[in-house]
């Protein structure tokens, strides 16, 4: 592979790291799949496809009767209805796959012929019906396989089903490939050429001009996606829509305060920044990226020691398992998949530890940040607070404060929340503190020697954050001094925040279930929904559902349909998860985590074994019951989803996007346009090329279905993002500057927790007192639609919830 040349000016570290990774990625891909497997190879295919299609059309018309093998090939292509675009893609795949792998001309020709044969096979099956081909593709023996093994598995499956297909002899493959390869060289001489070594034709290669274009493309990839690490110095504050984070012009040219691919959104953001509308959002964003951080050394050292000794703590990459090929296809496939995930997790953790060790050499570092188009805060470095437990636990504030009188109590609450033994985090605060006091000796032993308490540690809800909390608490207790300096963030999370915001904007009385009213004990919406779903299952009398009812009754008897079972569905309901999405959550979570052998003793019908369709329908059955239970419990949520969906549909009909201005001044524009390209791929290859399919200057058409489906989740995300940013600004005004946020999770130093929690609730109340967000989005839609505004739905009626009650709702964010 030709080395990617750096820019003439000094390349910043972010681009150097990205350049090294991109070169390594390209080399790995070329080794296994040739140039076809690389991003640059896909770019070549995308650029060459239209010209090759046009050239093939002419070449086919010029074939003479004397070219017998070519005539036979063309007859086959016509019979199998293989169009020119996919024929061209077969040729490009074969050619690009050979480049970089030292494949000779004959091998390349045969590979192209094989590509054409497989594509004809797919066309043959498609003529029998899409369901026939789909069942073969998704059969257990085929699913999950790639490359040659997938081709063999497909052909074996076709044979098992008794389908007759045309066979190609070796000479047919080579003749077809030779003809196609010669046409490629004739039509695209500026891209492909033969490598002539001492007069002997050997390999296919790229021309120098094409190689230069390829290198330019890869260099552009590097420039567009720097490999960000935390900064050892404070990032530059955002002062304009495209000025912030850094002064380096090579990095700054791709930076935007709002991450968006829409020029219209960029223009709206630019205007909002210039006229000051977005000032609250910019102030909060700058405050968050100005927070200095440090690495939690005890957690880092313990994490490294676990890896060194092979101690498995939940969240660490699982060890590789030996695949027993005598087992069922499903078990083998699951083993391969788990091994692949384990390898990827191990590589990612190795990268994370490299960053952590580098940051540990600094007393403090910073996380540069920006917003997405809804206003949610995201850090540029992948090593950041929004990651999983083991990475989040590595962060502590660089600036601490004396723990004081009440700080120790909130540190205890944080310990209980992270451990969550016997669901203690769902109990009142005094009970959480009491639990910690009762386990103080064990906590101190664990903090001093965590590897001696692996069993207890592994039972914690968030093992590594629990470790960090215990270490901090043990140090504070041993110091027995209010002047002890604490650095650990203590976190308070919303109680199913999506439903909280839906209840707040509608003043739904069901807000009590998501802790928006004062209660002596925290309410558990997940447990309530679980009981509702169970009742629906037990009361089900629909005959066609009897089998799935028996499955879930067996599951309930063995494991219990609990809050954990329904939590993914309930959490995402406020963000408009579909029934199919809920089904997937059960397939990938509840069902796959089930001990099938144990359940087989309870019910032979329990889930589908190797029959994925039965697992799907079992998950679908539960998803429908959970969805029904949610809508029975919190009726306002469904009303808001329907309201926003109807507004979006009306706007789409008028060729407009639903828009609104969030409470922090961010222009929220629910843009979903129909794709401006089509994706052309081969049957058994996930790689393909994108081709533009709309004329320059033509306005893209609104993509109505995803626009409607996404309106509610994007609106709710914008509301919780606005609440977060308002909370940050209010806290900073009171001198609370060490703030850790992850969407609906708010963190601060323990001595500041009492006031910070009150600020969170106050800002929630103020936002909904000062902003009738549903009325605002309706008014904007009326203004945008003009004469068509009379067709818009009315705003959902408000309920009886007193939003001021949230200020005294201790467990709204707990």
């Amino acid at each position: 592979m030709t080395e990617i040349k750096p820019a003439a000016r000094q390349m910043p570290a972010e681009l150097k790291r990205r350049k090294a990774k991109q070169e390594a990625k390209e080399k790995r891909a070329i080794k296994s799949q040739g140039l076809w497997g690389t991003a640059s190879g896909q770019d070549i295919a995308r650029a060459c496809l239209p010209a090759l299609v046009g050239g093939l059309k002419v070449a086919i018309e010029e074939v003479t009767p004397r070219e017998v093998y070519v005539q036979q090939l063309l007859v086959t292509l016509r019979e199998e209805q293989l169009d020119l675009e996919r024929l061209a893609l077969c040729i490009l795949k074969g050619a690009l796959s050979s480049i970089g792998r030292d494949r000779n001309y004959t091998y390349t020709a045969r590979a192209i012929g094989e590509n054409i044969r497989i594509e004809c096979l797919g066309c043959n099956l498609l003529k029998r019906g899409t369901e026939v081909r789909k069942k073969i593709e998704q059969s257990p023996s085929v699913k999950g396989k790639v490359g040659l093994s997938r081709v063999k598995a497909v052909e074996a499956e076709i044979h098992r089903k008794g389908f007759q297909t045309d066979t190609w002899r070796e000479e047919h493959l080579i003749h077809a490939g030779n003809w196609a390869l010669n046409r490629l060289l004739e039509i695209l001489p500026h891209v492909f050429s033969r490598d002539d070594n001492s007069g002997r034709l050997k390999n296919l290669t790229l021309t120098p001009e094409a190689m230069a274009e390829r290198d330019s493309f890869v260099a552009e990839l590097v420039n567009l996606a720097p490999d960000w690490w935390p900064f050892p110095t404070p990032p530059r504050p955002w002062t304009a829509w495209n000025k912030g984070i850094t002064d380096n012009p090579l990095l700054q040219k791709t930076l935007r305060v709002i991450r968006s691919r829409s020029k219209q959104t960029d223009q709206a953001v630019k205007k909002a920044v210039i006229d000051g509308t977005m000032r609250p959002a910019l102030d909060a964003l700058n405050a968050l990226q100005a927070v200095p951080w440090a690495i939690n050394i005890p957690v880092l050292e313990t994490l490294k020691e676990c890896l060194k000794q092979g101690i498995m703590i939940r969240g660490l990459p699982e060890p590789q398992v030996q695949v027993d090929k005598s087992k069922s296809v499903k078990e083998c496939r699951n083993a391969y998949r788990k091994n692949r995930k384990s390898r990827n997790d191990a590589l990612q953790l190795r990268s994370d530890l490299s960053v952590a060790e580098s940051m540990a050499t600094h007393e403090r570092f910073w996380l540069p940040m920006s917003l997405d188009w809804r206003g949610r805060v995201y850090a540029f470095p992948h090593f950041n607070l929004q990651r999983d437990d083991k990475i989040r636990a590595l962060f502590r504030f660089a600036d601490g404060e004396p723990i004081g009188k009440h700080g120790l109590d909130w540190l205890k609450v944080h310990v209980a929340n992270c451990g969550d033994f016997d669901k203690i985090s769902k109990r009142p605060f005094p009970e959480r503190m009491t639990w910690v006091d009762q386990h103080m000796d064990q906590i101190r032993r664990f903090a001093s020697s965590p590897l001696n308490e692996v069993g207890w540690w592994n039972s914690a809800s968030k093992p590594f954050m629990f470790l960090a909390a215990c270490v901090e608490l043990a140090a504070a207790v041993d110091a027995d001094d209010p002047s002890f300096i604490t650095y650990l963030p203590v976190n308070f999370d919303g109680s199913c925040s999506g439903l909280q915001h839906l209840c707040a904007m509608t003043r739904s009385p069901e807000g009590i279930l998501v802790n928006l009213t004062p209660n002596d004990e925290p309410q558990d919406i997940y447990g309530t929904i679980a009981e509702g779903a169970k009742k629906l299952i037990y009361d089900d009398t629909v005959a066609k559902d009897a089998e799935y009812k028996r499955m879930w009754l067996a599951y309930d008897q063995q494991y219990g349909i609990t809050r954990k079972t329904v939590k993914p569905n309930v959490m995402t309901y406020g963000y408009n998860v579909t029934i199919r999405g809920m089904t997937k959550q059960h397939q990938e979570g509840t069902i796959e985590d089930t001990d099938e052998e144990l359940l087989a003793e309870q019910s032979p019908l329990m889930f589908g074994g190797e029959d994925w369709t039965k697992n799907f329908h079992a998950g679908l059955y539960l998803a429908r019951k959970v969805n029904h239970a949610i809508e029975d419990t919190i009726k306002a949520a469904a009303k808001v989803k329907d309201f926003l969906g109807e507004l979006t549909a009306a706007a789409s009909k008028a060729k407009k996007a639903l828009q609104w201005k969030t409470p922090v001044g961010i222009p929220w524009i629910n843009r979903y346009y129909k794709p401006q390209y089509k994706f052309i791929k081969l049957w058994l290859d996930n790689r393909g090329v994108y081709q533009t399919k709309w004329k320059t200057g033509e306005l893209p058409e609104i993509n109505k279905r995803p626009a409607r489906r996404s309106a509610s989740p994007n609106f709710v995300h914008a509301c919780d993002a606005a609440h977060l940013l308002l909370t940050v600004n209010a806290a900073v005004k009171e001198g609370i500057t060490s703030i850790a946020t992850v969407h609906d999770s708010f963190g601060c130093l323990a001595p500041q927790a009492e006031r910070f929690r009150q600020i969170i609730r106050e800002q929630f109340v103020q936002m909904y007192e000062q902003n009738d967000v549903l009325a605002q989005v309706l008014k904007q839609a009326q203004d945008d639609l003009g004469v068509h505004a009379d067709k818009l739905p009315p705003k959902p009626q408000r309920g009886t919830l007193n939003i001021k009650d949230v200020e005294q709702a201790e467990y709204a964010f707990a």
Side-chain angles (χ1 to χ4, degrees):
M1 172 188 164
T2 303
E3 183 182 0
I4 302 168
K5 296 179 180 179
R9 68 182 76 199
Q10 180 63 35
M11 182 179 280
E14 289 81 2
L15 294 184
K16 286 180 180 178
R17 289 192 295 266
R18 172 64 171 146
K19 174 176 174 285
K21 285 184 176 181
Q22 186 64 36
E23 286 181 340
K25 184 178 180 180
E26 292 257 321
K27 286 178 181 177
R28 288 195 304 270
I30 286 175
K31 184 177 180 181
S32 62
Q33 300 180 61
L35 200 56
W36 172 256
T38 68
S40 56
Q42 296 297 297
D43 183 64
I44 291 170
R46 179 168 53 251
C48 292
L49 189 63
L52 185 56
V53 169
L56 286 174
K57 186 176 181 180
V58 174
I60 288 172
E61 293 172 352
E62 294 176 350
V63 172
T64 66
R66 300 176 64 179
E67 297 176 274
V68 178
Y69 280 111
V70 180
Q71 290 285 1
Q72 291 176 351
L73 170 64
L74 298 180
V75 169
T76 302
L77 298 183
R78 282 193 291 269
E79 288 178 349
E80 302 298 355
Q81 300 174 7
L82 180 62
D83 59 74
L84 285 180
E85 284 183 329
R86 282 182 293 158
L87 174 61
L89 201 55
C90 288
I91 300 170
L92 287 168
K93 177 185 176 182
L96 291 168
S97 295
S98 72
I99 295 176
R101 301 169 74 193
D102 196 27
R103 306 302 192 193
N104 63 37
Y105 191 81
T106 302
Y107 180 96
T108 303
R110 190 194 181 284
I112 292 174
E114 179 69 3
N115 291 340
I116 297 172
R117 181 189 74 82
I118 295 169
E119 201 60 26
C120 287
L121 179 62
C123 293
N124 185 289
L125 284 176
L126 199 57
K127 289 190 293 186
R128 303 171 189 270
T130 55
E131 285 302 314
V132 171
R133 196 167 94 165
K134 187 176 180 181
K135 283 183 179 178
I136 290 174
E137 291 170 355
Q138 296 184 336
S139 64
S141 62
V142 173
K143 201 173 180 183
K145 292 185 177 178
V146 296
L148 183 59
S149 63
R150 189 177 187 195
V151 174
K152 290 181 177 179
V154 164
E155 292 181 325
E157 188 69 20
I158 291 171
H159 179 71
R160 277 196 294 271
K161 293 188 180 297
F163 294 140
Q164 294 296 320
T165 57
D166 292 336
T167 57
W168 289 38
R169 296 198 302 270
E170 185 73 11
E171 59 185 16
H172 288 162
L173 294 176
I174 294 176
H175 278 294
N178 269 321
W179 175 82
L181 190 49
N182 288 331
R183 301 294 79 74
L184 176 74
L185 291 166
E186 290 172 2
I187 297 166
L188 300 169
H190 58 290
V191 179
F192 298 97
S193 68
R194 293 185 177 98
D195 181 11
D196 190 349
N197 184 13
S198 301
R200 184 179 178 185
L201 300 179
K202 287 193 69 178
N203 300 337
L204 191 70
T205 186
L206 293 181
T207 64
E209 296 85 354
M211 186 64 77
E213 285 290 327
R214 171 179 171 263
D215 289 346
S216 176
F217 172 79
V218 178
E220 187 62 22
L221 279 183
V222 170
N223 290 332
L224 290 174
D227 183 13
W228 297 97
W229 279 20
F231 283 14
T233 56
R236 174 182 171 179
W238 287 99
T239 56
W241 72 287
N242 61 348
K243 284 186 171 54
I245 305 298
T246 176
D247 289 323
N248 190 298
L250 287 175
L251 295 173
Q252 199 177 65
K253 66 181 181 180
T254 62
L255 294 176
R256 300 288 184 271
V257 69
I258 296 281
R259 302 182 185 189
S260 168
R261 295 183 179 180
S262 164
K263 290 182 179 180
Q264 296 94 327
T265 299
D266 281 349
Q267 291 169 357
V269 169
K270 183 178 180 180
K271 181 177 181 297
V273 172
I274 291 172
D275 65 21
T277 307
M278 268 184 60
R279 175 49 53 191
L282 291 185
D283 287 346
L285 180 63
N286 287 332
L288 286 174
Q289 69 173 13
V291 176
W293 296 95
I295 292 295
N296 193 320
I297 300 298
V299 175
L300 176 61
E301 294 303 322
T302 304
L303 176 54
K304 289 163 59 179
E305 196 61 30
C306 286
L307 296 175
K308 181 180 178 181
Q309 297 187 27
I311 298 174
M312 273 307 302
I313 302 298
R314 193 156 42 81
L316 294 180
E318 295 184 2
Q320 299 283 297
V321 298
Q322 186 69 31
V323 180
D324 185 352
K325 294 187 177 180
S326 66
K327 296 286 187 179
S328 69
V329 172
K330 178 182 178 182
E331 289 173 314
C332 290
R333 187 175 67 240
N334 287 342
Y336 282 124
R337 184 181 60 196
K338 287 178 180 177
N339 283 346
R340 184 167 59 249
K341 181 180 184 302
S342 177
R343 285 193 297 271
N344 292 339
D345 289 347
L347 286 171
Q348 181 59 64
L349 182 56
R350 192 183 308 162
S351 174
D352 290 328
L353 289 178
S354 174
V355 180
E357 289 174 336
S358 175
M359 292 302 106
T361 62
H362 301 279
E363 289 186 4
R364 54 187 59 215
F365 61 86
W366 288 261
L367 296 172
M369 299 175 177
S370 66
L371 306 171
D372 75 359
W373 67 271
R374 300 164 301 187
R376 284 197 148 191
V377 180
Y378 290 93
F380 282 96
H382 186 59
F383 182 78
N384 67 66
L385 275 172
Q386 295 176 346
R387 297 276 303 284
D388 60 352
D389 164 62
K390 63 181 176 292
I391 302 302
R392 195 171 174 183
L394 292 171
F395 286 82
R396 68 173 181 84
F397 293 123
D399 295 325
E401 282 197 6
I403 198 163
K405 181 179 179 182
H406 299 293
L408 192 64
D409 289 340
W410 289 114
L411 187 54
K412 290 178 180 179
V413 169
H414 181 62
V415 169
N417 289 348
C418 292
D420 200 17
F421 296 95
D422 299 321
K423 302 301 175 189
I424 189 64
S425 69
K426 309 303 178 289
R427 304 302 303 153
F429 291 133
E431 290 187 29
R432 301 182 210 183
M433 298 176 199
T434 300
W435 182 92
V436 171
D437 290 336
Q438 292 171 345
H439 292 81
M440 186 58 72
D441 289 342
Q442 190 172 8
I443 288 171
R444 294 171 76 178
R445 287 198 307 272
F446 170 57
S448 61
S449 302
L451 301 187
N452 293 333
E453 301 281 345
V454 171
W456 193 53
W457 183 14
N458 241 337
S459 301
S461 175
K462 301 171 184 174
F464 288 94
M465 290 181 68
F466 180 62
L467 169 63
C470 288
V471 169
E472 191 82 357
L473 179 62
V477 170
D478 289 344
D480 193 23
D481 185 350
S483 64
F484 170 80
I485 305 298
T486 180
Y487 297 91
L488 190 74
V490 297
N491 302 306
F492 305 98
D493 300 348
S495 178
C496 195
S497 64
L499 291 177
Q500 282 184 317
H501 284 278
L502 288 169
C503 288
M505 65 181 71
T506 57
R507 304 298 195 270
S508 170
E510 290 90 359
I512 187 174
L513 298 174
V514 286
N515 294 298
L516 293 185
T517 59
N519 292 296
D520 293 335
E521 294 187 0
Q523 301 297 300
D524 183 11
I525 183 66
Y526 306 116
T528 302
I529 300 299
E531 289 302 314
K534 279 173 63 173
K535 186 175 187 308
L536 289 170
I537 292 171
Y538 277 84
D539 293 346
D540 191 359
T541 58
V542 179
K544 68 176 183 178
D545 291 339
E547 179 180 355
Y548 304 114
K549 175 179 177 177
R550 287 197 298 272
M551 287 183 180
W552 288 109
L553 290 181
Y555 181 92
D556 187 46
Q557 291 168 7
Q558 185 66 44
Y559 295 97
I561 295 174
T562 64
R563 67 186 310 278
K564 181 181 178 182
T565 314
V566 306
K567 186 174 181 179
N569 290 174
V570 181
M571 285 181 67
T572 52
Y573 180 86
Y575 303 112
N576 210 28
V577 66
T578 62
I579 293 291
R580 192 173 185 88
M582 288 183 172
T583 300
K584 188 175 181 182
Q585 289 169 345
H586 289 305
Q587 277 186 279
E588 295 180 352
T590 313
I591 293 175
E592 287 194 0
D593 290 343
T594 300
D595 184 339
E596 293 184 10
E597 291 183 4
L598 187 62
L599 280 170
E601 299 173 5
Q602 298 288 326
S603 170
L605 294 172
M606 189 62 202
F607 305 131
E610 292 186 18
D611 183 1
W612 70 272
T613 59
K614 186 170 286 188
N615 283 352
F616 171 81
H617 288 294
L620 177 63
Y621 177 81
L622 181 59
R624 285 173 172 161
K625 298 304 179 187
V626 175
N627 188 72
H628 190 174
I630 295 171
E631 293 186 344
D632 278 351
T633 305
I634 300 186
K635 298 178 175 61
K639 292 179 181 177
V640 172
K641 288 166 68 175
D642 291 342
F643 169 71
L644 292 170
E646 290 179 37
L647 285 185
T648 304
S652 299
K653 193 173 181 179
K655 299 182 179 180
K656 294 179 180 292
L658 186 67
Q659 53 186 326
W660 162 65
K661 192 166 287 183
T662 78
V664 287
I666 295 173
W668 179 90
I669 309 172
N670 196 53
R671 293 190 194 281
Y672 285 84
Y673 293 131
K674 285 194 173 179
Q676 300 166 3
Y677 52 79
K678 61 181 177 181
F679 184 60
I680 306 167
K681 66 179 285 293
L682 301 180
W683 176 36
L684 296 181
D685 191 342
N686 290 329
R687 289 187 177 275
V689 298
Y690 291 93
Q691 289 293 293
T692 302
K693 65 174 186 180
W694 64 293
K695 297 177 182 177
T696 304
E698 181 182 333
L699 289 175
E701 184 180 348
I702 297 288
N703 205 350
K704 296 177 182 178
R705 186 176 179 184
R708 178 168 187 159
R709 191 170 56 211
S710 64
S712 176
N714 287 335
F715 190 80
V716 174
H717 278 309
C719 289
D720 70 19
H723 172 229
L724 182 149
L725 296 172
L726 290 169
T727 298
V728 170
N729 284 339
V732 169
K733 284 181 182 177
E734 296 198 19
I736 300 174
T737 56
S738 291
I739 304 172
T741 62
V742 183
H743 304 323
D744 67 335
S745 177
F746 300 80
C748 67
L749 290 164
Q752 299 168 335
E754 188 70 37
R755 178 58 190 143
F756 188 61
R757 290 177 60 254
Q758 189 64 40
I759 290 172
I760 296 170
R761 301 196 300 272
E762 288 172 357
Q763 290 304 308
F764 189 90
V765 171
Q766 286 183 31
M767 187 177 91
Y768 283 109
E769 279 188 330
Q770 297 172 8
N771 296 275
D772 185 342
V773 293
L774 295 177
Q776 290 169 357
V777 73
L778 176 59
K779 176 65 167 59
Q780 185 65 56
Q782 290 170 339
D783 293 344
D784 289 343
L785 297 184
V787 295
H788 302 290
D790 59 328
K791 298 180 181 179
L792 296 175
K795 185 189 74 145
Q797 291 187 348
R798 283 191 169 187
T800 57
L801 176 71
N802 182 359
I803 196 67
K804 290 288 288 184
D805 285 347
V806 176
E807 291 185 356
Q808 276 69 52
E810 286 286 323
Y811 300 107
F813 297 88

